[in-house]
Amino acid sequence: GLLQKEDWHAAWIGAEEQQREKGIPAIPPSPLLRKTFSSKKIERALLYVTSLGEYEVYINGRKVGDHLLAPEWTDYHKRIQYQTYDVSDMLEPGENCLGAVLADGWYAGRLGPVRWDENYPRRGAYGLDRRLLLQLEIETDRGKQMIISDDSWKLFEDGPIQGADHFLGQVYDARKQQPGWDTVDFDDSEWKSATVDSDLQTGKRVAQMNEPVRQVATVTPVEILEPEEGVYIFDMGQNMVGWCRIRLEGKTGTVVTLRHGEMLDADGSLFTDNLGTALQKDQFILDGNGARTFEPRFTYHGFRYVEVTGLDQKADKEMLTGIVIASDAPKTGSFECSHPQINQLMQNVLWTQRGNMISIPTDCPQRDERMGWMGDALVFAQTAIYNLDMAAFFSKWIVDIRDAQADDGRYPDYAPHPYDPNMRFSDAPGWADAGVVVPWRLYQNYGDKRILAQHYKSMKRFIDNIRRHNPEYLWQHATGNEYGDWLNGDTITAKDYPKSGGQVPYLLYTTAFYAWSTSIFAKIADLLGKKADYAAYSDLADRIKRKFNQEFVKSDGRLKGDTQAGYALALAFDLLPKSLQPKAAQYMVKAVKKYDYRISTGFHSTILLMKQLSRWGYHDIAYRLLENRSFPSWLYSIDQGATTIWERWDAYVAERGFQQSDMNSFNHYAFGAVGEWIYQNILGIRFDENQPAYKHIILKPVPGGSLTWARGSYQSIHGLIAVEWKRQEGSVFVSVSIPANTKATLFLPASDVASVLENGEPVDQNPRVCRIEEGKAILHLESGSYHFKADFD
Ligand code: BGC
């Protein structure tokens, strides 16, 4: 990498900044840049490149690397990522050509919150001036050669990409192609010289630390519908994120338009009401030179359905392929069980996760928002970590959070935060707290204390700011936007659902988060050996808890508001005295029964409710909620054909249609946090709070509900952990594998081990049962694979 600023010799090049009009679309075409140079025999060549806006680089007609949307999203005023590519094999001894294309991306393009800014889009979120910074370092047999971006590059401002924007889409005019523009022989005598901006002030250049956005899968259409003559709707069969590759043929000037949507309207047309100002529209203008394959690159869409109009040819399924893009984090989890809808639910969770990992963790991939909303990531982080290796992705995002922290310590509601950090959209309880909770999740799962050390001061500033404004230990001042337990039962408008009273009292909710973040911070201080802070923040956490009890808890364990959410929060964050906990758990169960075994919780408390039901022995109720087919429930959406997680329980209700359309995403992961419960209870794979990162593994599978078997695994940082169980005629068979150099404690779902099996045959009886706790046999296991058979009671 280039570690110091002085290691960079390149200059920011591009076109002169163009003023933009208000309105859609007001995007100037993507500039093309090129330079030829000659080289001796090449031994090794490394290309360092970044841009304001997005870039693609070509060498001798071939695209460099497989990154998409590079250099990805950071607060460009503070940090700009650069990418490094080994291009040794792409250069030739002799003449070579470098080419680059630039587009708006997050830098100059539309961004969620900026839609509320009246000057937008004239201003751009970070700037409008798209520029390239490139340094090619070649080791040749004659020494080192360096090619940099400078004013010797040539520029062409009217290339085939006539406009590209993440929300709006891309317009590609094949008639404007410059054949061979990125090869040596091209005649660029008509091209201008690139301009250099030597005064440009940008953020620190840093190497990209997380997996790049790449094409991670392809999807082929399952069906073509034709609601009107000449209007074709391709059903991809899967709500996905990315774009389409399409093969087109037609007369010159033919405009083929692709519009993308997640659902169909009642009349069979494309449903786009939930997109806000995002158009999700790509256009290809043909040049009449035979069949060609097109695909946009500087935009992305959330869609299951693609409406294609303007075709000169007959639509057929083979002409179109869905290109799925995501930050390419490796898969770590697997899950399967006897219940097909629960399997589908887990598939939906994973699709939703991938679709919302486009450089940063977004709330949704389709409407004009797509922000790194912190509350959503906070609740989903643990599920995300089971599914994919999130270490690098979240480590990068934590820096985005830090970059967005306000001067007084407030964390943002979303990161990156393209506003001035001191402006609105900061410090919302349950959102801002992600600045403490997500690093803590990384530590719990991956054991990396460096993250905590790097982030320590920042977390402390966040807690101190709340304390400063709230000397009475309730988080009632400096609370920023009051979102609360987002999209809880009270926001459901379907007729057959009684108003649930699901809304947890706001001050109870905010103070619960204050207590939780403070106690996590105290634990972190302890881990890092900061004794004075440990004492001070443990004391603060105790005071908040005491106040919480005075204000919201009655002597019989009942909580103010008597909501499912309130009990779930208080139990999950350990806010109640020991003696009241089981009683509060009983009230929590009552609150579930009161609503006919339905969920009235919102984003933040739903997973907590599920986990607390299990923790206090009400597995049957947790299973009942999970398996519930009637509305509102997870499986209700599956029965409606969902292939991703919906933002709202009632996003679409058969008898009523769509929920309010301006906030109704079909690809929103927050309620998918139930994945955490599934991994931790159906499979029973858990880390040990006291020995993080799976050095000691807790295995607590709980067969329940109508499930007869389940199996799955987690690729922990210490190796593969696998669990499988099967219920059969009064017995349960349990198999586990424990990686090398770890130990595990297995809680068998039985009070005794009938037999230990090897190759299906019983061997010595009951060798490792240590004790029976809550009716469960507890076994301490070393690494290896084990099979047990026990009576299932
Ligand atoms: C987003 C949410 C987010 C919320 C804040 C919404 O528009 O889509 O998921 O957390 O705003 O309340």
Side-chain angles (χ1 to χ4, degrees):
L2 302 180
L3 302 181
Q4 314 292 339
K5 203 164 181 216
E6 302 73 63
D7 296 338
W8 284 93
H9 301 282
W12 288 105
I13 60 167
E16 287 305 329
E17 180 168 336
Q18 294 177 336
Q19 283 307 311
R20 303 190 190 187
E21 294 304 312
K22 232 181 140 166
I24 304 173
I27 313 155
S30 281
L32 303 177
L33 291 152
R34 63 175 254 122
K35 179 184 171 69
T36 52
F37 61 94
S38 64
S39 198
K40 305 288 174 217
K41 187 162 176 287
I42 291 131
E43 268 149 25
R44 192 166 95 123
L46 294 178
L47 178 74
Y48 304 95
V49 56
T50 187
S51 58
L52 299 178
E54 284 159 357
Y55 73 85
E56 276 186 349
V57 173
Y58 292 80
I59 294 182
N60 299 327
R62 278 164 62 204
K63 184 182 178 238
V64 173
D66 54 4
H67 295 219
L68 300 170
L69 311 179
E72 303 198 9
W73 195 0
T74 52
D75 181 338
Y76 305 104
H77 299 312
K78 300 217 166 123
R79 243 165 76 243
I80 294 197
Q81 304 190 126
Y82 67 87
Q83 288 74 33
T84 307
Y85 305 93
D86 186 333
V87 295
S88 315
D89 295 340
M90 299 183 81
L91 296 173
E92 308 286 339
E95 282 296 294
N96 285 282
C97 179
L98 271 166
V101 195
L102 298 175
D104 279 6
W106 290 280
Y107 180 82
R110 295 186 152 238
L111 285 184
V114 191
R115 68 187 156 141
W116 296 302
D117 181 336
E118 55 170 24
N119 286 317
Y120 188 74
R122 271 177 293 180
R123 192 171 63 89
Y126 297 95
L128 289 175
D129 199 6
R130 303 163 298 183
R131 289 195 173 260
L132 176 78
L133 187 77
L134 173 150
Q135 186 157 316
L136 173 60
E137 298 193 4
I138 309 172
E139 291 162 31
T140 72
D141 53 350
R142 307 271 173 88
K144 208 165 165 174
Q145 184 186 5
M146 196 181 285
I147 310 295
I148 54 172
S149 50
D150 59 17
D151 57 10
S152 69
W153 284 59
K154 299 302 273 304
L155 164 79
F156 186 71
E157 288 177 281
D158 193 22
I161 298 177
Q162 286 286 298
D165 177 274
H166 287 187
F167 291 176
L168 303 178
Q170 181 167 315
V171 180
Y172 188 92
D173 188 342
R175 297 168 304 180
K176 295 200 178 260
Q177 288 175 118
Q178 301 290 303
W181 69 279
D182 49 358
T183 58
V184 174
D185 295 333
F186 181 80
D187 174 11
D188 60 16
S189 53
E190 304 277 291
W191 287 31
K192 297 204 260 187
S193 288
T195 66
V196 166
D197 188 342
S198 37
D199 302 327
L200 199 66
Q201 297 294 323
T202 58
K204 193 172 172 226
R205 290 161 211 171
V206 296
Q208 176 166 355
M209 65 162 96
N210 59 316
E211 297 85 0
V213 177
R214 293 195 177 102
Q215 172 180 324
V216 294
T218 56
V219 175
T220 45
V222 292
E223 200 185 353
I224 303 182
L225 308 159
E226 197 178 351
E228 261 178 72
E229 211 190 319
V231 177
Y232 300 99
I233 294 187
F234 289 69
D235 177 359
M236 307 309 289
Q238 171 65 50
N239 199 21
M240 55 168 280
V241 174
W243 53 69
C244 294
R245 180 181 293 156
I246 187 165
R247 184 125 187 108
L248 295 172
E249 186 163 13
K251 290 190 290 294
T252 182
T254 304
V255 183
V256 178
T257 303
L258 273 63
R259 293 197 309 140
H260 305 74
E262 296 186 295
M263 298 288 276
L264 294 182
D265 237 321
D267 63 0
S269 62
L270 192 73
F271 176 73
T272 53
D273 293 357
N274 66 339
L275 301 180
T277 61
L279 295 180
Q280 303 213 121
K281 180 164 99 177
D282 297 329
Q283 287 189 313
F284 304 104
I285 306 169
L286 309 187
D287 61 2
N289 288 337
R292 281 206 34 205
T293 302
F294 295 89
E295 115 178 50
R297 285 110 62 192
F298 296 119
T299 185
Y300 74 90
H301 317 303
F303 63 102
R304 170 174 168 167
Y305 300 96
V306 193
E307 181 204 79
V308 181
T309 50
L311 286 180
D312 253 4
Q313 65 203 102
K314 215 177 133 29
D316 68 78
K317 276 197 252 170
E318 281 67 49
M319 71 193 289
L320 185 137
T321 308
I323 306 295
V324 182
I325 69 162
S327 288
D328 195 8
K331 192 157 185 261
T332 44
S334 72
F335 174 83
E336 215 187 340
C337 72
S338 58
H339 196 309
Q341 283 79 15
I342 295 177
N343 294 340
Q344 180 68 46
L345 172 66
M346 286 301 268
Q347 287 307 312
N348 293 7
V349 171
L350 182 58
W351 272 98
T352 307
Q353 177 172 350
R354 282 241 165 86
N356 283 294
M357 282 173 68
I358 309 293
S359 183
I360 60 146
T362 60
D363 56 335
C364 57
Q366 74 297 82
R367 70 167 172 248
D368 51 355
E369 195 149 9
R370 313 184 190 187
M371 302 300 291
W373 281 101
M374 304 260 288
D376 309 42
L378 178 152
V379 301
F380 189 68
Q382 186 58 51
T383 303
I385 288 170
Y386 278 116
N387 276 333
L388 303 178
D389 180 348
M390 300 296 283
F393 183 84
F394 276 147
S395 298
K396 178 258 179 193
W397 188 57
I398 289 168
V399 187
D400 295 332
I401 296 177
R402 243 177 3 245
D403 279 351
Q405 189 167 20
D407 295 339
D408 60 9
R410 276 172 296 147
Y411 277 132
D413 299 357
Y414 43 71
H417 185 281
Y419 282 120
D420 175 335
N422 297 310
M423 284 176 73
R424 62 194 175 133
F425 294 111
S426 43
D427 229 21
W431 274 257
D433 300 86
V436 176
V437 175
V438 174
W440 180 238
R441 292 277 183 251
L442 288 185
Y443 171 72
Q444 288 177 308
N445 288 277
Y446 305 117
D448 188 352
K449 273 194 203 168
R450 294 171 309 175
I451 299 287
L452 302 178
Q454 285 155 9
H455 200 59
Y456 187 78
K457 276 198 195 129
S458 158
M459 292 186 273
K460 191 169 168 178
R461 290 208 294 130
F462 164 65
I463 306 274
D464 286 350
N465 184 57
I466 307 175
R467 179 171 57 176
R468 196 161 43 241
H469 289 280
N470 297 282
E472 60 303 315
Y473 307 112
L474 296 169
W475 192 358
Q476 54 190 334
H477 307 296
T479 51
N481 293 306
E482 300 196 355
Y483 310 124
D485 189 19
W486 195 239
L487 299 183
N488 62 76
D490 273 5
T491 64
I492 293 171
T493 57
K495 279 202 289 301
D496 65 334
Y497 187 69
K499 272 281 170 251
S500 66
Q503 182 89 269
V504 54
Y506 190 61
L507 198 54
L508 185 162
Y509 161 93
T510 60
T511 304
F513 273 96
Y514 180 25
W516 191 39
S517 285
T518 307
S519 19
I520 293 175
F521 181 70
K523 282 187 206 161
I524 293 172
D526 189 26
L527 274 168
L528 298 178
K530 311 218 182 241
K531 291 204 175 77
D533 278 358
Y534 171 61
Y537 290 90
S538 309
D539 177 63
L540 177 60
D542 287 344
R543 285 166 195 266
I544 305 167
K545 286 184 194 179
R546 236 174 288 143
K547 189 70 182 178
F548 181 93
N549 280 277
Q550 278 167 20
E551 287 293 312
F552 309 118
V553 188
K554 299 207 181 96
S555 55
D556 61 355
R558 202 188 291 258
L559 257 70
K560 190 166 179 191
D562 203 30
T563 58
Q564 296 175 8
Y567 295 109
L569 286 160
L571 289 166
F573 299 167
D574 276 324
L575 306 181
L576 304 175
K578 279 238 150 9
S579 60
L580 290 187
Q581 292 175 2
K583 292 185 184 151
Q586 282 168 11
Y587 286 121
M588 176 173 69
V589 169
K590 275 197 185 149
V592 173
K593 289 186 179 163
K594 196 158 80 190
Y595 292 106
D596 199 18
Y597 291 93
R598 293 195 276 192
I599 298 166
S600 70
T601 43
F603 271 22
H604 287 82
S605 59
T606 301
I607 176 59
L608 305 181
L609 173 72
M610 290 294 284
K611 287 182 62 171
Q612 292 309 310
L613 287 169
S614 283
R615 174 177 167 202
W616 296 98
Y618 301 100
H619 283 294
D620 51 334
I621 298 182
Y623 264 105
R624 188 166 168 171
L625 293 180
L626 179 70
E627 288 197 68
N628 189 4
R629 307 294 275 265
S630 66
F631 167 84
S633 69
W634 288 280
L635 298 194
Y636 180 80
S637 75
I638 307 280
D639 288 340
Q640 305 299 313
T643 57
T644 38
I645 303 294
W646 296 352
E647 178 174 21
R648 295 167 173 271
W649 296 118
D650 59 343
Y652 178 84
V653 176
E655 22 336 314
R656 190 209 50 192
F658 295 105
Q659 237 283 12
Q660 97 184 41
S661 56
D662 59 341
M663 219 191 78
N664 198 15
S665 148
F666 288 85
N667 205 345
H668 230 81
Y669 52 53
F671 285 130
V674 69
E676 175 182 343
W677 184 88
I678 291 175
Y679 277 109
Q680 292 185 348
N681 292 280
I682 301 187
L683 293 181
I685 300 176
R686 304 170 183 201
F687 54 78
D688 177 349
E689 293 274 350
N690 300 314
Q691 286 184 62
Y694 297 91
K695 187 68 185 160
H696 173 240
I697 302 154
I698 296 177
L699 298 171
K700 224 175 185 174
V702 190
S706 68
L707 273 58
T708 54
W709 60 267
R711 64 170 160 257
S713 59
Y714 173 59
Q715 182 71 45
S716 78
I717 197 148
H718 280 105
L720 187 75
I721 304 163
V723 174
E724 177 166 3
W725 57 259
K726 184 170 71 184
R727 255 153 65 173
Q728 211 171 40
E729 293 157 8
S731 296
V732 61
F733 295 82
V734 178
S735 299
V736 297
S737 332
I738 297 148
N741 297 314
T742 66
K743 290 184 166 64
T745 302
L746 169 66
F747 294 70
L748 265 191
S751 52
D752 204 359
V753 187
S755 32
V756 178
L757 305 179
E758 260 170 36
N759 301 322
E761 296 298 323
V763 289
D764 60 357
Q765 298 294 309
N766 248 358
R768 299 176 186 86
V769 176
C770 290
R771 56 179 199 278
I772 309 290
E773 211 178 78
E774 294 165 23
K776 302 275 178 281
I778 299 176
L779 296 98
H780 289 298
L781 303 173
E782 305 281 326
S783 58
S785 294
Y786 303 88
H787 311 279
F788 303 99
K789 179 185 178 188
D791 292 340
F792 188 65
D793 26 48

